[in-house]
């Protein structure tokens, strides 16, 4: 009996695989390396001292998924595989709808056919759009601002319809806030193919001198220091949330915020990063980035109450672990 991890070579998936293996679970990873590298699989094995099956497969490829299900006894699926770059989704919406929505549909069809009806899905705080009130709870109103967000909401709705139609399905929809940080060994972290879009990977590049400076997108928002506030969560805490979700699965569709419940502004993150790592971080104030919400942080109490899960690692660990990973990775790349 195994858990299939789609997108398990990616940032959040790889950390979740480590936690699952350390927890004694059997896993199988399927990934097409569109945004990750094969080396991650070896690192997961070395960090855990455990082995697992891997399939280089695209979730849009039905016959590849059928092969995985026919060769293994899969009882649950954690579904990370998808594209996640907001700006790219605006430029190439069909690419995003195809990979994220069609890929998820194919996965659900194959799961149904093999009578595997337990799913944990990576949703996102993006489904809250520009929240009017913070913190956002699971029943805050939903609104999407871009094709990426649409794909997450569409998949959530598909899962809800499926659970309504067939009482044997259990689907846990996890809405992640802003994952940052890395494994404490410094050997796993966020290592996208191509140019990063999110704040922490760009901070790392600026601190390393790979780019001249960080652009702070807007300092005229209605927040105490004028910069946007987000709920940054350590990726290892997030990974542990998946184990809690698997353990608490019940019939029907359930949704949980996975966040810390605490917001930090962009300037506060910059200061925390400099202080924690004793490094310089050049930045300048730049115009607002279209589509950014001024404030977004979670009410995480439902996950604590029903999953028995709570984020434990603070902002210093997020900054220190991110930096350790960057130093190791970038020194590898230089050598
Ligand atoms: P990631 O890009 O690092 O990982 C995704 C993995 O899925 C990659 O290894 C990629 O190669 C793989 N993949 C993509 N399309 C595939 C396909 N068709 N078939 C097989 N493999 C495929 O991203 P991540 O940060 O680890 O995010 C994981 C999930 O969490 C995504 O669904 C993402 O939308 C969601 N999420 C991420 C964030 C974030 O800020 N990182 C926030 C909220 C939600
Ligand atoms: N920011 C900068 N400069 C940069 C990059 C980001 O100032 O170079 C700011 C943004 O304006 C924002 C904050 O840093 O205020 C965080 O930006 P990110 O791009 O890291 O994160 P977002 O909150 O915009 O979005 C991320 C993911 C989404 C996901 C959302 C909630 O990219 O996919 O978190 O989970 F939906």
């Amino acid at each position: 009996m195994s858990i299939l991890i789609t997108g398990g070579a990616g940032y959040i998936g790889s950390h979740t695989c480590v936690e699952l293996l350390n927890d004694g679970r059997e896993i199988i990873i399927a990934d097409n390396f569109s945004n990750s590298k094969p080396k991650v699989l070896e690192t997961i094995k070395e960090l855990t001292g455990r082995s697992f099956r891997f399939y280089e497969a695209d979730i849009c490829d039905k016959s590849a998924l059928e092969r995985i299900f026919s060769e293994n006894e899969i009882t649950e699926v954690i579904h990370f595989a998808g594209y996640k770059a907001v700006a790219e989704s605006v430029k190439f919406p069909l690419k995003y709808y195809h990979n994220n929505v069609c890929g998820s549909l194919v996965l659900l069809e194959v799961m149904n056919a093999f009578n595997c009806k337990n799913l944990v899905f990576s949703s996102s705080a993006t489904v809250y759009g520009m929240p009017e009130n913070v913190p956002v709870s699971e029943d805050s109103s939903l609104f999407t601002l871009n094709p990426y967000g649409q794909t997450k909401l569409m998949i959530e709705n598909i899962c809800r319809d499926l659970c309504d139609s067939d009482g044997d399905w259990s689907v846990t929809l996890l809405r992640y806030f802003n994952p940052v940080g890395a494994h404490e060994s410094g050997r796993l972290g966020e290592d996208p193919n191509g140019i990063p879009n999110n704040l922490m990977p760009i901070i790392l590049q600026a601190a390393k001198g790979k780019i001249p400076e960080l652009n702070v997108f807007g300092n005229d928002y209605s927040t105490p220091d004028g910069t946007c506030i987000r709920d940054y969560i350590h990726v290892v805490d997030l990974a542990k949330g998946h184990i809690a979700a698997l353990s608490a699965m019940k019939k029907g569709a359930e949704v949980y915020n996975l966040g810390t419940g605490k917001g930090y502004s962009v300037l506060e993150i910059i200061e925390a990063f400099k202080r924690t790592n004793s490094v310089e971080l050049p930045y300048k104030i730049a115009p607002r980035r279209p589509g950014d919400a001024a404030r977004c942080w979670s009410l995480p109490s439902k996950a604590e109450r029903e999953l028995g899960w709570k984020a434990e690692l603070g902002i210093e660990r997020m900054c220190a672990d991110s930096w350790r990973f960057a130093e190791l990775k970038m020194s590898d790349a230089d050598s």
Side-chain angles (χ1 to χ4, degrees):
M1 295 206 303
S2 303
I3 307 162
L4 174 65
I5 317 292
T6 74
Y11 174 45
I12 306 169
S14 58
H15 289 82
T16 304
C17 290
V18 167
E19 296 303 319
L20 287 165
L21 290 165
N22 284 340
D23 196 49
R25 317 256 182 158
E26 298 297 326
I27 65 164
I28 296 161
I29 299 181
D31 203 298
N32 67 355
F33 298 127
S34 54
N35 198 34
S36 53
K37 300 178 180 68
K39 198 182 95 187
V40 167
L41 304 174
E42 286 317 304
T43 307
I44 296 173
K45 288 180 187 163
E46 286 164 19
L47 288 173
T48 59
R50 298 215 31 220
S51 191
F52 51 83
R53 272 196 176 180
F54 171 73
Y55 289 84
E56 184 164 350
D58 191 314
I59 56 158
C60 300
D61 179 349
K62 192 168 194 174
S63 57
L65 289 187
E66 285 168 343
R67 190 180 143 218
I68 298 172
F69 276 84
S70 60
E71 290 180 359
N72 301 282
E73 197 188 329
I74 295 169
T75 46
E76 290 117 345
V77 176
I78 308 183
H79 177 31
F80 294 103
Y83 296 149
K84 63 168 183 175
V86 170
E88 191 189 40
S89 81
V90 175
K91 214 166 167 200
F92 303 109
L94 298 182
K95 176 178 166 180
Y96 271 67
Y97 286 114
H98 182 80
N99 196 51
N100 294 7
V101 181
C102 297
S104 298
L105 275 176
V106 172
L107 174 67
L108 290 167
E109 282 166 6
V110 175
M111 288 177 68
N112 214 23
F114 283 82
N115 205 30
C116 168
K117 298 185 175 180
N118 300 308
L119 177 78
V120 176
F121 173 62
S122 301
S123 189
S124 166
T126 193
V127 298
Y128 297 117
M130 300 259 190
E132 275 179 22
N133 298 304
V134 279
V136 286
S137 72
E138 288 79 357
D139 47 19
S140 293
S141 51
L142 304 180
F143 180 72
T144 57
L145 294 158
N146 49 63
Y148 168 72
Q150 289 271 40
T151 69
K152 291 296 174 191
L153 196 51
M154 287 167 87
I155 299 163
E156 284 199 5
N157 287 332
I158 290 167
C159 290
R160 282 195 197 89
D161 288 344
L162 189 56
C163 290
D164 287 347
S165 75
D166 176 351
D168 288 339
W169 272 90
S170 304
V171 177
T172 306
L173 306 166
L174 299 179
R175 292 181 183 152
Y176 312 150
F177 281 69
N178 289 57
V180 294
H183 189 266
E184 64 177 350
S185 65
R187 298 184 58 207
L188 276 183
E190 187 164 16
D191 191 11
N193 298 338
I195 300 159
N197 307 285
N198 296 117
L199 180 63
M200 186 56 84
I202 297 172
I203 284 181
L204 298 174
Q205 292 201 336
K208 267 279 171 191
K210 301 270 172 191
I211 56 171
E213 62 201 352
L214 165 76
N215 286 311
V216 174
F217 295 141
N219 68 347
D220 57 352
Y221 286 95
S222 58
T223 61
D225 67 19
T227 65
C228 296
I229 299 180
R230 294 289 182 277
D231 184 343
Y232 297 92
I233 174 167
H234 197 294
V235 68
V236 172
D237 273 332
L238 199 56
K240 289 179 177 165
H242 293 75
I243 299 193
L246 279 179
S247 305
M249 271 191 118
K250 56 182 186 210
K251 300 290 180 211
E254 275 294 343
V255 57
Y256 297 96
N257 283 344
L258 294 188
T260 65
K262 189 166 167 40
Y264 287 94
S265 73
V266 178
L267 291 180
E268 284 174 328
I269 293 291
I270 292 172
E271 283 314 310
F273 189 88
K274 284 164 56 177
R275 189 177 64 242
T276 305
N277 299 312
S278 305
V279 289
E280 286 304 308
L281 181 53
Y283 70 88
K284 72 168 193 301
I285 305 299
R288 288 185 179 197
R289 184 173 69 175
D292 273 342
R295 295 166 303 143
C296 184
W297 66 88
S298 68
L299 184 70
S301 51
K302 185 179 175 195
E304 184 172 359
R305 204 169 51 243
E306 295 185 16
L307 305 180
W309 170 91
K310 190 172 181 282
E312 284 171 351
L313 302 172
I315 197 70
E316 283 80 17
R317 269 293 298 274
M318 299 182 209
C319 292
D321 289 345
S322 296
W323 184 233
R324 191 176 306 112
F325 172 71
E327 291 229 281
L328 269 174
K329 181 173 80 85
M330 292 185 193
S331 61
D332 271 4
D334 293 342
S335 60

